[in-house]
Amino acid sequence: MRLVQTNLRETDVTIDPERYVESLREFSANVVLFNAGGIVANYPTELPFHYRNPLLRGDFLGEVLERAHAAGIRLIARFDFSKVNEVIAADRPDWHYKSVAGDSVSYNGQVHTCLNGQYQQEHSLEILAEVASRYPIDGVFINMHGYQVRDYSRTYHGICQCDNCARRFGEARLPRSEDDPLYPSYEDFKTRTVAELFERRAATVKAVRPSIATCNYTSAGTDIFRLESGTHMVDGLPDFTYSASHHVRLVSDSWPGMAVSNAAVHFVDFPMRHSAVSPHLTALRLAQDTVHGGWLDFYVMGALDAQEDRRCFGPVRDLYAFHAAHERYYTGTTSLADVCLVQPKDPGPEFFGLFRILAEHHVQFDVLREDVVDRERLRRYAAVVLPDPRLSIDTDRPVLTTGTIGAGQLQGAYFAIRPDDKKALSGLDDLDLVYLYGAFEPYEGEGEPFLAYIPPHMFGPPEKCYYTEISDTPGLVRTPSGDVVIPWNIGTHYEQYANDGHARLVMAALRDLLGLKPRLTTDAPAVVEVVARDNPGAGALLVSFVNLTGQSGTAFHAPVPVRDIGVRLATDRTPLRAHALRAGADVPLSHRDGTVSLTLPELSLLETVVIDYRE
């Protein structure tokens, strides 16, 4: 599917529905995410607690839906129940979210509602039922689903303290901060109640018509798992280069068969919603959606014709048209991963650093969230990577565990790579140490030691910059069971500072200690993402390339063409022909001893080489 979200403003209901739908067709979209109700109803609602758009004349939702269906475009109705207009909310304080200070929160005339109040628990279902019963919508999407504790300025108001939450939580009191002893049980409470409400909402619309698809940011009760690749300046820049790749992998690998739609967010950030990010960043996000088998998804504020920053329109139209022409290859693909990278429920820099190392070294890997991992699912992988020592999994696959839960910020410390270490760990001939800048908790179990800890030493003035002690404490251990433990935050080091020495150690541990033999090898530079997938329905292997050379710090420019990329892919398929989709040309290949070899002549932003095979 190729989705466009036009996050409509109140003023957009005055536009011509015919022209609105035509603008979607110009982008080769076959799904539109359309504001139906919640904060503002864009149809003539008859419910007294549903705020009707004051500019509405006629039935905007109905008119757009009729024209969209005539054009072959499906419509997902968007709702947001996290806030309600102050006029409606004024006499209903029991609907309100209550801050830690005991206050309601109103932002631009919209009052924050609590998930456990009557508006969300009961009236939201009535709104959904009204729309589903009146209109032949194809799906529903519920924005800001859950416990919202920040406003649009990202001001934090704290854990809700309303009576409904207190009553339903059932403990003596509600926690007032994340370090409260009751907070872990409150987290479980949130997870359970959020899932319960969404499942009730899904059941409401499916009771009207079972074919209505549900779309949400969570897996519970969801048909389409939607995520966003957007810029959040308060989180720091630059953006994570692999954001779209990460999101699509996470969903398609963790919940096989679930559709995943990852939005390339057009605007810069909430305060800059009318200005767009670099068109090359938008194109990169859509290219990553494509090669990993996700929906294309482009998200703008207001109608397409209303955009005042249209720099990305050309690349978006081009990628959507390309996807439409070749969708049979990108639909129904399966991963050819050698490695499983387990994602903690709350991933941090250790996870993202390991993600980068694997991607930059062209390791084919899946991402599974920790709560869906089981022994049977892990059997398909040659190795498993755990970016947190607190993760506990049941597997007979070799495991690399990294990270520490300890605190502290060691400075002037290193790990020595000794001659005996280099006999087992390849690729380190010109490297005798790597630095440690963070916490380190020595591994306490039995095992074969590698790397020798150099405790903090003098680093100034220059005349005093030397060390006199190399301890026997290892920085890497192979356990008696054959697993590998790196008891410090080597992934975090790479995410923050991208030192090649740290990446080399991770790859040496996978290759030389865990015995990883990658099915795909390539001479592509690290700034080219290479993804191999199988498409049994099309009878083809896909080797896709995404060019990341355009990123320079916080800037995203046009990628620099990369030429003559060689690839070798081990497969039991018998190849018949290879052809590049973007170039529209055949690619010569050879097949010997179960390995397909080919060379891609040139890569701009995106290319997929289709290797047709005989079953």
Side-chain angles (χ1 to χ4, degrees):
M1 309 303 290
R2 291 170 297 281
L3 181 150
V4 170
Q5 176 184 359
T6 56
N7 216 346
L8 301 179
R9 294 84 47 90
E10 286 180 335
T11 53
D12 289 316
V13 295
T14 61
I15 64 177
D16 176 21
E18 190 73 42
R19 174 57 203 155
Y20 174 82
V21 172
E22 181 60 28
S23 72
L24 298 172
R25 294 183 64 187
E26 291 169 0
F27 276 72
S28 303
N30 56 10
V31 184
V32 62
L33 184 56
F34 182 91
N35 295 55
I39 292 176
V40 173
N42 285 325
Y43 68 98
T45 178
E46 296 177 2
L47 299 172
F49 45 78
H50 198 190
Y51 181 78
R52 186 186 297 198
N53 189 331
L55 301 178
L56 184 68
R57 301 291 181 269
D59 186 352
F60 190 54
L61 169 59
E63 293 174 13
V64 167
L65 180 59
E66 180 181 1
R67 289 165 174 78
H69 280 176
I73 297 173
R74 301 180 187 183
L75 186 144
I76 298 176
R78 179 186 180 276
F79 300 87
D80 190 329
F81 303 116
S82 67
K83 298 160 193 72
V84 69
N85 189 276
E86 60 187 359
V87 174
I88 295 173
D91 298 328
R92 298 170 174 88
D94 57 308
W95 294 2
H96 298 194
Y97 156 90
K98 294 290 184 179
S99 71
V100 170
D103 300 324
S104 297
V105 175
S106 181
Y107 195 97
N108 288 341
Q110 312 308 308
V111 176
H112 288 218
T113 63
C114 176
L115 180 137
N116 293 308
Q118 184 184 31
Y119 177 73
Q120 290 216 37
Q121 287 289 322
E122 298 178 18
H123 295 326
S124 71
L125 275 64
E126 296 175 62
I127 293 171
L128 290 167
E130 181 182 57
V131 172
S133 299
R134 278 200 202 176
Y135 303 99
I137 58 174
D138 302 290
V140 296
F141 169 75
I142 299 172
N143 190 57
M144 288 198 169
H145 181 64
Y147 291 79
Q148 303 299 320
V149 295
R150 296 182 185 274
D151 59 30
Y152 288 107
S153 297
R154 295 203 174 92
T155 302
Y156 178 66
H157 298 282
I159 297 167
C160 182
Q161 302 293 309
C162 77
D163 291 342
N164 295 310
C165 281
R167 189 179 309 112
R168 197 170 181 194
F169 184 49
E171 299 287 346
R173 59 178 179 81
L174 288 159
R176 298 181 65 81
S177 66
E178 284 75 7
D179 56 5
D180 191 300
L182 285 173
Y183 191 74
S185 59
Y186 179 73
E187 278 280 272
D188 293 338
F189 163 78
K190 286 199 302 179
T191 300
R192 174 175 54 81
T193 53
V194 167
E196 286 176 358
L197 180 55
F198 188 77
E199 286 168 350
R200 289 175 58 216
R201 288 169 170 168
T204 296
V205 296
K206 287 181 182 291
V208 176
R209 193 165 59 259
S211 64
I212 295 177
T214 53
C215 179
N216 197 19
Y217 298 115
T218 63
S219 60
T222 300
D223 298 310
I224 306 158
F225 198 131
R226 189 163 191 257
L227 293 164
E228 294 180 1
S229 290
T231 299
H232 302 289
M233 291 188 168
V234 296
D235 297 333
L237 295 174
D239 294 289
F240 184 54
T241 308
Y242 299 98
S243 170
S245 292
H246 165 226
H247 290 165
V248 178
R249 284 181 203 256
L250 171 65
V251 176
S252 60
D253 299 341
S254 295
W255 297 280
M258 182 178 289
V260 52
S261 189
N262 180 69
V265 179
H266 174 251
F267 54 82
V268 176
D269 202 350
F270 282 3
M272 291 80 71
R273 296 235 211 193
H274 301 297
S275 288
V277 299
S278 163
H280 304 295
L281 175 55
T282 296
L284 174 62
R285 290 166 172 169
L286 293 173
Q288 290 179 342
D289 286 347
T290 299
V291 303
H292 290 284
W295 290 15
L296 295 195
D297 188 328
F298 179 50
Y299 163 22
V300 299
M301 290 299 301
L304 289 167
D305 287 348
Q307 301 308 306
E308 298 167 292
D309 188 336
R310 300 175 298 281
R311 291 171 297 152
C312 72
F313 275 25
V316 173
R317 286 194 189 101
D318 174 62
L319 285 167
Y320 270 55
F322 168 75
H323 188 276
H326 300 289
E327 63 179 27
R328 74 184 187 93
Y329 289 116
Y330 295 113
T331 302
T333 63
T334 58
S335 166
L336 295 176
D338 297 309
V339 171
C340 174
L341 175 61
V342 177
Q343 176 177 310
K345 290 182 182 177
D346 186 18
E350 187 68 14
F351 168 82
F352 290 109
L354 291 168
F355 190 111
R356 284 186 62 191
I357 290 171
L358 296 174
E360 290 175 7
H361 288 79
H362 308 117
V363 175
Q364 300 304 297
F365 67 100
D366 287 347
V367 176
L368 268 66
R369 206 170 71 178
E370 63 168 298
D371 55 334
V372 302
V373 170
D374 60 48
R375 186 181 185 88
E376 190 59 36
R377 294 188 68 177
L378 294 178
R379 284 212 169 102
R380 59 168 297 195
Y381 303 104
V384 179
V385 179
L386 300 181
D388 188 327
R390 293 168 293 188
L391 292 174
S392 177
I393 62 170
D394 176 23
T395 181
D396 55 6
R397 303 289 88 188
V399 177
L400 168 63
T401 301
T402 72
T404 176
I405 58 174
Q409 188 75 18
L410 294 170
Q411 298 186 69
Y414 297 84
F415 291 104
I417 305 171
R418 301 160 300 186
D420 283 349
D421 297 329
K422 297 181 183 184
K423 293 178 182 178
L425 301 170
S426 60
L428 305 173
D429 291 343
D430 56 355
L431 189 63
D432 295 334
L433 56 71
V434 292
Y435 69 84
L436 172 65
Y437 187 68
F440 171 47
E441 285 191 327
Y443 181 72
E444 307 218 342
E446 297 293 324
E448 183 181 4
F450 297 91
L451 313 183
Y453 176 55
I454 301 173
H457 66 277
M458 299 177 292
F459 49 86
E463 294 81 358
K464 295 293 186 179
C465 289
Y466 54 87
Y467 56 87
T468 58
E469 178 187 357
I470 300 179
S471 75
D472 293 327
T473 303
L476 185 154
V477 176
R478 178 160 56 184
T479 70
S481 63
D483 295 334
V484 172
V485 176
I486 301 178
W488 47 286
N489 295 321
I490 191 169
T492 301
H493 279 62
Y494 196 77
E495 173 60 11
Q496 294 176 340
Y497 311 113
N499 186 280
D500 177 60
H502 297 118
R504 287 203 216 175
L505 279 175
V506 170
M507 291 307 301
L510 286 170
R511 181 179 55 242
D512 302 319
L513 300 183
L514 296 185
L516 177 65
K517 293 180 174 59
R519 74 180 73 194
L520 182 145
T521 58
T522 177
D523 59 8
V527 288
V528 171
E529 185 177 6
V530 183
V531 181
R533 298 182 71 83
D534 189 10
N535 189 329
L541 298 170
L542 308 182
V543 181
S544 296
F545 307 81
V546 178
N547 189 341
L548 311 176
T549 59
Q551 182 174 7
S552 176
T554 59
F556 286 83
H557 305 287
V560 178
V562 180
R563 296 179 175 85
D564 299 325
I565 302 173
V567 174
R568 290 168 53 85
L569 178 65
T571 176
D572 57 2
R573 310 291 194 182
T574 301
L576 302 175
R577 167 183 176 246
H579 53 106
L581 294 182
R582 291 287 276 177
D586 282 359
V587 176
L589 63 79
S590 63
H591 181 228
R592 180 181 300 173
D593 300 327
T595 297
V596 175
S597 300
L598 58 86
T599 299
L600 178 68
E602 183 170 324
L603 169 68
S604 52
L605 167 65
L606 163 69
E607 186 58 276
T608 293
V609 175
V610 176
I611 304 170
D612 297 308
Y613 58 73
R614 181 172 58 245
E615 289 286 359

